[in-house]
């Protein structure tokens, strides 16, 4: 019964969290629509601005729902993964090319520094891509202009796993918050995360994906000095 009660309370928390997350963008959409009906429609320039805000909020809702669906599929083991040998180098190269414009826009130096270029892991290719995209996207989001983001990888001492790190010189995370960042919807600074288009689900997705592939994830950080997220995956 204690386990049942615990699960029931987790479910309640999740529903409360989701409702809260949906409420904020919906209230904005409603407020903009009301303003338009209240007369802003007659002002062409203002109308365009309000409709653009409605679009932004709708995009946020869309992103949130996609993240929730993705997490639910991974957790319920409904997601069918194709576990094959995947080259870390190729996946990192694709991710870095994809994120380069976002890094350049903030004058952040984004580099891949393989310590073992030929490393192959047992994973689903798209899943590994999603892990990396989430970690590099966060590293860029939470690093101020002029910083550095480095992706590196090597096999672990016992020769069984590959260790893949994403390190940044960003705002960092304090010790008491660090243990919570992998929780669903947990964000150190809600307002800042929202402003940057965050959903609070990225790291929960990373954790569940890594576990589905027989690996895990950990983080080290120091407030104001940067963070390092490490994913371990079985070598192929
Ligand atoms: P979000 O969509 O808010 O980025 P995540 O689950 O990806 O959600 O991350 C949860 C929280 O962890 C973020 O809101 C942020 O406070 C913190 N965080 C994640 N990555 C970093 C990082 N590289 N540097 C500093 N803080 C981070």
């Amino acid at each position: 019964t204690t386990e049942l009660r615990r699960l029931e309370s987790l479910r309640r928390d999740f529903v409360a969290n989701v409702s809260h997350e949906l409420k904020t963008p919906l209230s904005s959409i409603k407020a903009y629509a009301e303003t338009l009906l209240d007369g802003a429609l007659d002002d062409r320039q203002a109308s365009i601005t309000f409709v653009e805000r409605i679009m932004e909020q709708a995009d946020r809702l869309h992103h949130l729902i996609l993240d929730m669906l993705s997490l639910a599929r991974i957790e319920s083991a409904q997601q069918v993964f194709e576990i094959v040998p995947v080259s870390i180098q190729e996946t990192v190269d694709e991710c870095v090319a994809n994120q380069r414009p976002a890094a350049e826009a903030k004058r952040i130096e984004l580099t891949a520094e393989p310590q073992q270029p030929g490393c192959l892991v047992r994973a689903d290719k798209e899943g590994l891509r999603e892990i990396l995209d989430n970690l590099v996207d966060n590293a860029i989001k939470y690093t101020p202009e002029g910083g550095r983001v480095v992706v590196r990888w090597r096999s672990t001492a016992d020769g069984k796993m590959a260790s893949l790190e994403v390190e940044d010189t960003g705002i960092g995370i304090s010790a008491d918050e660090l243990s919570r960042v992998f929780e669903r919807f947990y964000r150190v600074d809600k307002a800042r995360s929202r402003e940057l288009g965050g959903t609070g689900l990225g790291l929960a997705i990373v954790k569940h994906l890594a576990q589905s592939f027989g690996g895990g994830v950990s983080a080290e950080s120091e407030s104001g000095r940067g963070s390092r997220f490490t994913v371990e995956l079985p070598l192929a």
Side-chain angles (χ1 to χ4, degrees), residues 76-89:
S76 65
Q78 257 179 24
Q79 176 92 318
V80 187
F81 293 116
E82 195 195 349
I83 306 291
V84 291
V86 183
S87 152
I88 298 189
Q89 173 95 55

Side-chain angles (χ1 to χ4, degrees), residues 162-198:
S163 156
L164 170 61
E165 293 173 5
V166 178
E167 190 182 272
D168 64 58
T169 57
I171 59 173
I173 305 163
S174 67
D176 50 328
E177 316 225 60
L178 196 57
S179 59
R180 303 202 56 194
V181 291
F182 293 101
E183 289 174 21
R184 290 180 276 198
F185 296 121
Y186 188 81
R187 284 166 288 189
V188 176
D189 180 341
K190 279 207 183 231
R192 181 181 207 143
S193 156
R194 283 218 183 91
E195 208 174 286
L196 297 168

Side-chain angles (χ1 to χ4, degrees), residues 10 14 17 67 71 74-75 130-132 134-136 138 142 164-166 168 173-188 199-211 215-221 227-232:
L10 274 180
F14 185 65
N17 274 327
D67 272 2
L71 191 56
I74 302 165
E75 276 191 313
E130 198 170 347
I131 289 177
L132 266 164
N134 271 310
L135 293 179
V136 174
N138 277 348
Y142 301 107
L164 170 61
E165 293 173 5
V166 178
D168 64 58
I173 305 163
S174 67
D176 50 328
E177 316 225 60
L178 196 57
S179 59
R180 303 202 56 194
V181 291
F182 293 101
E183 289 174 21
R184 290 180 276 198
F185 296 121
Y186 188 81
R187 284 166 288 189
V188 176
T199 61
L201 293 175
L203 288 178
I205 291 177
V206 168
K207 180 177 151 191
H208 280 92
L209 281 171
Q211 288 174 347
V217 60
S218 59
E220 297 153 83
S221 182
S227 314
R228 182 194 300 132
F229 286 82
T230 305
V231 176
E232 286 202 357

Side-chain angles (χ1 to χ4, degrees), residues 64-102:
L64 184 62
I65 287 163
L66 288 181
D67 272 2
M68 290 198 312
L69 283 175
S70 159
L71 191 56
R73 268 200 301 267
I74 302 165
E75 276 191 313
S76 65
Q78 257 179 24
Q79 176 92 318
V80 187
F81 293 116
E82 195 195 349
I83 306 291
V84 291
V86 183
S87 152
I88 298 189
Q89 173 95 55
E90 272 173 32
T91 319
V92 169
D93 285 348
E94 281 169 26
C95 166
V96 165
N98 197 31
Q99 303 266 9
R100 171 104 35 225

Side-chain angles (χ1 to χ4, degrees), residues 89 91-114 129 132-133 136-137 139-141 147-151 153:
Q89 173 95 55
T91 319
V92 169
D93 285 348
E94 281 169 26
C95 166
V96 165
N98 197 31
Q99 303 266 9
R100 171 104 35 225
E104 275 171 3
K106 288 179 78 181
R107 290 187 305 106
I108 289 174
E109 189 191 330
L110 170 61
T111 51
E113 290 178 4
R129 180 67 196 273
L132 266 164
D133 274 343
V136 174
D137 178 65
I140 295 172
K141 273 196 315 205
R148 254 168 70 78
V149 174
V150 184
V151 186
W153 63 95

